[in-house]
Amino acid sequence: MTPTDAGSEETGVRAAAVPAASGGRPGGAKFLTGSLMRHVAVMTLTSSVGLLALFVVDFVNLFFISQLGDPALTAGIGFASTLLFLNSSLNIGLMITISALAARRIGMGRADTTRALLGEVLLLGIVLSAIIAAIFWTFAPQWVELMGGSGTAKDAAVSYIRIVAPFGPITVTGMVCSGFLRAYGDARRAMNTTLAMAIGNAVFDPLLIFGLDWGFVGAAWSTVIAIILMAITGVVPILRHYGGFAMPSRESFAANLADIRKIMVPAVLTNLATPVGGIIAFRLIAVYGEASVASYAVIGRIIPLAFCLLFSLSGSIGPIIGQNYGAGQLGRVRGTIDRAVIFAAGFTLLIWPVLILGVDTIGWLFDLPAGGMDLIHAFAWVVVPLFFFNGLLFIANASFNNLDRASWSTWTNWGRNTLGVLPLAMLGSQLAGAPGVLIGQAVGGVLFGLGAYWLTRHRVNQLQRI
């Protein structure tokens, strides 16, 4: 395979358009025909189950830690999870990379090249993850202090990070395998990878925290066990049903590196922006005391659970867009984006009243101090409906990553998590205290969500004029 063959240039897309239009359907390209809304719904629902399972890991950890009755420990796991999401950014970026590149090649009728691509992305991921794990282990105390952590909360966060971080290479293996399965439209097996992680965490958290009386450390080791289960569940179906992993050769790696780098670097940078925004917000919230930090940590776990369908749009519509882009079917690309927006709006309208009715239950469930409940109320009444605009940003990111504009994801996500957080959250803090920080963040999401969606429409129009 030459570098030209490995590329994802628009000329390659045009070449693939002819057989697709004449009725050909490359092997494995299941999204080139059929109802787009059905494809969006099925991929999003199954992806959300897997993603929900991943988020349940953090939620379950936070719930059981809250039962220990110490708000400092609840705050500690909030600090730790926010910092560890920096490492998750690499995992998610690599999952996006393999999903986008493999889906596009499947759409172009070149599914035979995906095994080599998988081996190369996985090798890169393991090496990079090992380096990041060493950095996390070494500098965990300084990073927690930078976020405003101190005392018991800081000590708990550092111990959690130093147990979980070394298993980053195993985590990246599970995530990359999940992205590969999703590229083929194998939603069920992709879902099972993260579902295994959640089940493992749900089983071992109470066993280690309370059964063996390991306390906070038990939550960390429970997460480690869950990570190992996720990786096993991702590797096995690839070995059984997709021919396994092709060992990277120097020639293949050189041919594919430009394509990998073209998506991987922007995708990783894009996902790094989210924890950076979280760190900024945590620093602003920390000045209001442990009650506010604990409540903000709970909100940080509720958002992924409540909006898992919106979060999953970024991963679920990517293969649909990628296959149709690879086949030159730009009308179906536009249709996929439109239906994803409708899906996001409908779900937001459904979840809003549910969270308003559940605010007091949330406070009781996590034993939150009365001083932190004002954040929970601001979240339910004001932030939830505005989260739709974050959904627009997720849809835009998936579109950019699969339409040869991955760098646009980087710029929009970093803008949203810096300019869309710091000045507006600081203004909100001055006007309304800790709840104002939360509302300021949400307003930033509105501005950048609308801007990113406009860029998505612009890119599709640009491609249709070529």
Side-chain angles (χ1 to χ4, degrees):
M1 182 166 50
T2 66
T4 303
D5 291 333
S8 57
E9 300 87 346
E10 289 164 5
T11 53
V13 174
R14 285 180 174 275
V18 176
S22 62
R25 183 177 178 184
K30 65 186 294 183
F31 300 127
L32 303 185
T33 59
S35 166
L36 286 172
M37 181 56 89
R38 182 179 181 278
H39 288 321
V40 170
V42 169
M43 287 294 289
T44 302
L45 289 170
T46 52
S47 177
S48 69
V49 172
L51 197 59
L52 177 65
L54 196 61
F55 292 142
V56 162
V57 171
D58 279 344
F59 186 87
V60 168
N61 276 340
L62 192 66
F63 172 74
F64 284 114
I65 289 300
S66 71
Q67 304 310 299
L68 296 174
D70 188 347
L73 294 180
T74 306
I77 201 167
F79 286 124
S81 297
T82 301
L83 282 171
L84 285 172
F85 195 77
L86 288 167
N87 193 34
S88 297
S89 301
L90 172 67
N91 303 335
I92 295 169
L94 289 164
M95 183 180 71
I96 289 170
T97 301
I98 188 63
S99 180
L101 290 177
R104 190 178 306 167
R105 293 187 183 191
I106 293 165
M108 296 171 70
R110 294 169 47 210
D112 57 303
T113 66
T114 58
R115 287 177 60 249
L117 191 65
L118 172 62
E120 290 149 8
V121 171
L122 190 55
L123 179 63
L124 270 176
I126 290 172
V127 171
L128 292 174
S129 187
I131 295 170
I132 292 172
I135 295 171
F136 264 75
W137 199 96
T138 304
F139 297 105
Q142 291 84 352
W143 287 11
V144 175
E145 284 181 2
L146 184 64
M147 291 178 65
S150 60
T152 302
K154 174 191 169 183
D155 294 340
V158 171
S159 66
Y160 188 93
I161 290 168
R162 284 184 164 171
I163 292 170
V164 174
F167 293 86
I170 299 176
T171 307
V172 81
T173 299
M175 296 290 279
V176 168
C177 289
S178 177
F180 183 79
L181 293 168
R182 190 172 287 116
Y184 275 90
D186 196 341
R188 179 178 59 84
R189 292 190 178 99
M191 172 189 71
N192 287 342
T193 59
T194 43
L195 195 58
M197 186 176 186
I199 292 171
N201 222 137
V203 170
F204 286 98
D205 251 339
L207 178 62
L208 299 183
I209 294 173
F210 302 110
L212 297 182
D213 199 26
W214 286 8
F216 193 89
V217 171
W221 282 110
S222 173
T223 299
V224 168
I225 295 170
I227 286 169
I228 294 170
L229 290 174
M230 178 183 70
I232 293 171
T233 311
V235 168
V236 169
I238 292 176
L239 293 175
R240 287 183 176 177
H241 304 286
Y242 293 92
F245 302 82
M247 288 299 294
S249 67
R250 182 175 299 179
E251 295 76 14
S252 174
F253 189 77
N256 288 327
L257 183 60
D259 275 357
I260 294 171
R261 185 176 59 236
K262 188 176 180 181
I263 294 181
M264 184 189 79
V265 173
V268 171
L269 290 175
T270 296
N271 284 282
L272 276 175
T274 300
V276 168
I279 290 169
I280 292 171
F282 249 108
R283 191 71 182 87
L284 294 173
I285 290 285
V287 301
Y288 294 99
E290 286 183 352
S292 292
V293 172
S295 294
Y296 190 72
V298 169
I299 290 169
R301 301 304 162 275
I302 292 172
I303 286 176
L305 289 177
F307 291 101
C308 62
L309 282 174
L310 298 195
F311 280 98
S312 67
L313 279 173
S314 184
S316 62
I317 69 170
I320 305 173
I321 293 172
Q323 285 191 14
N324 282 286
Y325 179 46
Q329 300 184 167
L330 295 174
R332 287 180 66 83
V333 169
R334 182 186 293 276
T336 300
I337 295 167
D338 291 343
R339 284 154 181 81
V341 171
I342 295 170
F343 193 95
F347 179 76
T348 304
L349 291 175
L350 285 174
I351 202 68
W352 187 17
V354 173
L355 289 173
I356 288 175
L357 293 172
V359 287
D360 292 331
T361 303
I362 292 168
W364 169 79
L365 188 66
F366 288 94
D367 194 23
L368 292 175
M373 284 303 294
D374 52 350
L375 271 107
I376 303 295
H377 285 278
F379 165 70
W381 285 95
V382 181
V383 174
V384 169
L386 299 183
F387 208 84
F388 163 72
F389 297 95
N390 284 309
L392 291 183
L393 187 61
F394 301 151
I395 293 166
N397 286 343
S399 302
F400 298 151
N401 289 332
N402 286 274
L403 298 177
D404 289 325
R405 288 297 182 271
S407 61
W408 291 8
S409 293
T410 304
W411 288 110
T412 54
N413 234 36
W414 274 94
R416 189 266 177 272
N417 285 284
T418 52
L419 297 176
V421 173
L422 184 58
L424 294 170
M426 289 179 66
L427 178 62
S429 178
Q430 292 177 358
L431 296 176
V437 175
L438 205 62
I439 295 169
Q441 278 185 287
V443 173
V446 173
L447 300 176
F448 280 90
L450 289 172
Y453 180 65
W454 179 85
L455 281 173
T456 302
R457 306 289 296 187
H458 169 73
R459 176 56 179 161
V460 175
N461 291 338
Q462 187 181 58
L463 288 169
Q464 289 183 319
R465 287 194 297 267
I466 293 175

